[in-house]
Amino acid sequence: MASEPNTVLSDAPEPAETAVIADGLRAFNTSQAGYDDYRPLAVFVTDPASGKVVGGLYGGSYLGQLRIDRFFLPEGLRRDRIGSRVLAMAEEEGRRRG
């Protein structure tokens, strides 16, 4: 008789461990949909003087969905609708991608 698999809670997962889940889910979704159209997406807010990224969002599009993984703006930029513009740019690109 085979033994039950273990379930383990972790607050420090290794990238290889989370890749098992992400890769497995992606393979399953691709087999069901018949295609894989994942594309990363990022909208950056940059410092005008240095050109360095100071905030923005990143995520991706996949199987007709837009996903935002992280969205951050420094406190000093949380005004003047900058965040709204960043989100609108991501949404527009998501619509363009279908």
Side-chain angles (χ1 to χ4, degrees):
M1 182 173 182
S3 61
E4 287 269 330
N6 296 321
T7 53
V8 179
L9 175 68
S10 174
D11 64 356
E14 295 291 328
E17 295 167 329
T18 57
V20 170
I21 298 165
D23 295 347
L25 180 60
R26 187 170 181 174
F28 174 78
N29 288 343
T30 299
S31 74
Q32 297 301 302
Y35 65 96
D36 182 346
D37 65 349
Y38 175 78
R39 289 177 54 200
L41 175 101
V43 179
F44 298 119
V45 177
T46 59
D47 179 89
S50 69
K52 290 185 178 182
V53 173
V54 296
L57 64 76
Y58 68 86
S61 62
Y62 182 58
L63 301 176
Q65 299 177 40
L66 174 66
R67 185 189 74 250
I68 297 173
D69 293 329
R70 300 284 189 269
F71 188 172
F72 169 76
L73 287 175
E75 199 166 329
L77 296 179
R78 296 176 191 171
R79 62 183 188 290
D80 299 326
R81 304 195 47 81
I82 295 171
S84 295
R85 290 195 310 262
V86 168
L87 189 56
M89 288 178 73
E91 289 174 333
E92 179 57 33
E93 179 62 13
R95 280 189 289 279
R96 192 183 70 73
R97 294 180 183 190

